[in-house]
Amino acid sequence: MPHRYFTTEIADGTAFLRGKDAHHLARVMRAKLGETVILCDGNAVEYTAHITGFPEDAVEFSVEEGYPSTAEPNITVTLYAGYPKQDKLEEIIQHGVELGCARFIPFFSRYCVAAPKKEEQKNTRYNRIAAEAAKQCGRGILPKVCMPLKNFAAVCADWAQYDLVLFFYECGGESLHTLLKQLPEKDNGDCLKIAVVTGSEGGFAAEEAQAAAQAGAKTVGLGPRILRCETAPLAALSAIMTLTGNLE
């Protein structure tokens, strides 16, 4: 399978790859003239590209006509993840990208064990992890990891943009299957936007669950077992992608 890279420099049948990816392709992979790669523009359009040159700090390609990426789900999912301790967020991001998540928004809440520390530096690393996962699993977009929200009130205030907000609560809730079956189709062909909200190690306080419901979220459970904070978001994403036909 050809290697996959992301670039926005695609126009008039020509494309350029720069920076670390260009170095990787030219120096590490020792690519040669005429070799084929897949280029993605970050907007779910892919191009079959053939290497035509190695200008300084870049790789040049001729590209065929672009085509829609088949790897992108027919829904757009944003994961709001309660900030976990240690490197659990990295695991959530990596596997969440593989499962089709488009955006990650960490947040701090009442029972978070982790505390804010060097978040800008961490965010750079998180986005790098997301980009590498996107290349490895064949995504057509580069999923984004946002800076963490400071509290749960900020999380609830961020939900107006979604068609459905699913608040996964350890005390249970409505049927995920039923809620997804009730989703209407977009008249203009756009993807439905779904927000998935999962907690940190300490779960959610009762007042946070109440605030989520008041803000329009649907409270959902993930069965009778209590899942770890790094397991719950991946289980939720897997279930949503399965029920919407995106793991077939």
Side-chain angles (χ1 to χ4, degrees), residues 152-163:
F152 195 69
V155 176
C156 294
D158 201 44
W159 290 343
Q161 59 192 296
Y162 300 103
D163 299 295

Side-chain angles (χ1 to χ4, degrees), residues 42-210:
N43 293 307
V45 177
E46 300 179 0
Y47 300 81
T48 300
H50 310 283
I51 299 174
T52 56
F54 296 94
E56 187 175 357
D57 299 325
V59 181
E60 184 179 13
F61 307 86
S62 65
V63 295
E64 300 176 9
E65 185 174 351
Y67 50 91
S69 170
T70 58
E72 290 307 306
N74 61 11
I75 55 175
T76 301
V77 179
T78 296
L79 172 64
Y80 290 79
Y83 211 115
K85 61 184 181 180
Q86 298 174 344
D87 58 356
K88 295 175 183 177
L89 186 56
E90 297 180 6
E91 179 182 346
I92 292 169
I93 292 167
Q94 181 182 40
H95 299 310
V97 169
E98 295 173 17
L99 288 167
C101 189
R103 190 165 60 134
F104 300 82
I105 305 179
F107 65 87
F108 293 95
S109 57
R110 179 175 176 182
Y111 292 145
C112 277
V113 178
K117 184 178 181 182
K118 299 181 179 179
E119 292 309 322
E120 290 188 3
Q121 181 179 339
K122 290 180 182 177
N123 184 257
T124 299
R125 173 170 172 76
Y126 293 151
N127 275 285
R128 187 166 60 248
I129 290 170
E132 289 303 319
K135 295 173 192 175
Q136 291 168 2
C137 72
R139 294 290 298 272
I141 67 167
L142 280 173
K144 180 181 180 182
V145 184
C146 301
M147 291 291 290
L149 299 177
K150 295 181 179 179
N151 52 54
F152 195 69
V155 176
C156 294
D158 201 44
W159 290 343
Q161 59 192 296
Y162 300 103
D163 299 295
L164 177 65
V165 178
L166 298 169
F167 177 76
F168 285 87
Y169 191 34
E170 56 266 32
C171 295
E174 297 184 58
S175 162
L176 177 61
H177 182 265
T178 300
L179 290 172
L180 292 176
K181 282 182 64 176
Q182 293 172 351
L183 275 174
E185 291 188 5
K186 287 277 193 178
D187 294 332
N188 56 9
D190 289 343
C191 290
L192 287 163
K193 295 181 179 180
I194 299 176
V196 172
V197 188
T198 61
S200 62
E201 287 89 350
F204 290 105
E207 59 266 28
E208 290 171 336
Q210 184 177 8

